[in-house]
Amino acid sequence: MEKIQSQFIKFHDAIRIDFDGSQPLRDKRDLVVGDLRDGLKRVFYPYTPSFSYFNQGSYDLATGVQPILGEDYDIDVGIVFNFSKNSHRPVQVKEWVYHALNTVAARTVEIKRPCVRVQYHKNAAKWFHVDLAIYSTDNYWGNEVNHIAKGFIGSSEDKKIWELSEPFKLKELLK
C-alpha cells in the first residue's frame, strides 16, 4: 500500500501546477487585469467603471494540472464591477471588457456565455487563456450580492441575463 501511495504522490507532483510558485502565470493574470484597467480608462475617460478582481477556479483552489498535449493552461479570474446589475446590461459589460482587451496582436479575445476569454499563443499554438467571469455587485442592507453576466452578443434577450452568483461563498464551501 505504501508503494501505491508514493507512486500517487510522485504522479501528483508531476502533473500539478503550483500557481503560487508560477510567476509567469501570475504575471499574465496581472497583465490582463492591468490591460483591462487601462483599456476601460481609454474607452470611458473620465468616468471609468471601477472593479476589483479575485482568483477563482483551479487557479484559486490549487487544483490545476499541467495541460495535456494540445491543451492550454486555464486561469480563471473574477472581475467584480462596482455597480448594480440594474445599471447596465450584462452583454454590454462583456463588450466593454472585449473592446478594452482586444488591442494586442499576441492574443485573441472572445465573448463566451459565462465569461470573456483572453487567449494567448506561443509558436502559433494555444499557450494559456484567462477566463474573466464578469460580476456586478449590489449592496442590500449591508450584504453584498453578486450577479454574473451571462450571454453572447447574438443571444436572444432571454439568454442575456445577470444570474445570481455567490463566488465567495462557493470558494469557502470548496475549501
Side-chain angles (χ1 to χ4, degrees):
M1 192 62 146
E2 262 181 56
K3 185 165 175 82
I4 292 173
Q5 182 65 24
S6 66
Q7 290 297 316
F8 178 77
I9 291 170
K10 185 177 177 182
F11 172 72
H12 180 257
D13 289 344
I15 65 168
R16 77 182 189 95
I17 297 174
D18 178 11
F19 284 114
D20 290 332
S22 179
Q23 189 66 43
L25 293 179
R26 283 196 323 269
D27 289 348
K28 291 300 183 185
R29 178 212 52 208
D30 294 345
L31 174 68
V32 169
V33 171
D35 285 353
L36 177 58
R37 281 191 204 288
D38 293 343
L40 289 173
K41 286 178 189 173
R42 201 175 48 253
V43 172
F44 289 100
Y45 180 82
Y47 303 108
T48 305
S50 64
F51 68 87
S52 57
Y53 73 95
F54 63 96
N55 297 326
Q56 59 179 39
S58 63
Y59 187 79
D60 181 56
L61 298 172
T63 58
V65 295
Q66 296 289 337
I68 59 174
L69 189 61
E71 297 293 322
D72 61 334
Y73 291 97
D74 170 36
I75 302 171
D76 297 307
V77 178
I79 302 292
V80 182
F81 281 95
N82 298 314
F83 53 68
S84 168
K85 69 179 177 66
N86 297 321
S87 58
H88 302 286
R89 294 184 320 274
V91 175
Q92 172 190 33
V93 178
K94 286 179 160 185
E95 288 180 281
W96 298 348
V97 173
Y98 173 87
H99 290 296
L101 292 172
N102 195 27
T103 59
V104 178
R107 65 183 179 212
T108 56
V109 182
E110 175 185 10
I111 295 176
K112 302 186 78 62
R113 186 175 195 305
C115 65
V116 176
R117 176 167 290 171
V118 182
Q119 178 73 60
Y120 283 84
H121 299 86
K122 186 177 188 179
N123 300 326
K126 290 180 178 179
W127 179 28
F128 72 90
H129 65 268
V130 180
D131 286 334
L132 302 171
I134 309 302
Y135 297 92
S136 69
T137 187
D138 286 297
N139 200 322
Y140 296 110
W141 302 283
N143 294 318
E144 185 175 286
V145 178
N146 295 296
H147 292 83
I148 187 169
K150 294 281 185 100
F152 297 101
I153 292 172
S155 297
S156 61
E157 289 305 313
D158 64 319
K159 301 290 185 195
K160 297 177 182 179
I161 61 170
W162 285 109
E163 184 176 273
L164 182 62
S165 181
E166 296 181 333
F168 302 106
K169 287 183 182 177
L170 178 61
K171 281 172 54 165
E172 289 306 312
L173 178 68
L174 292 174
K175 285 183 178 184

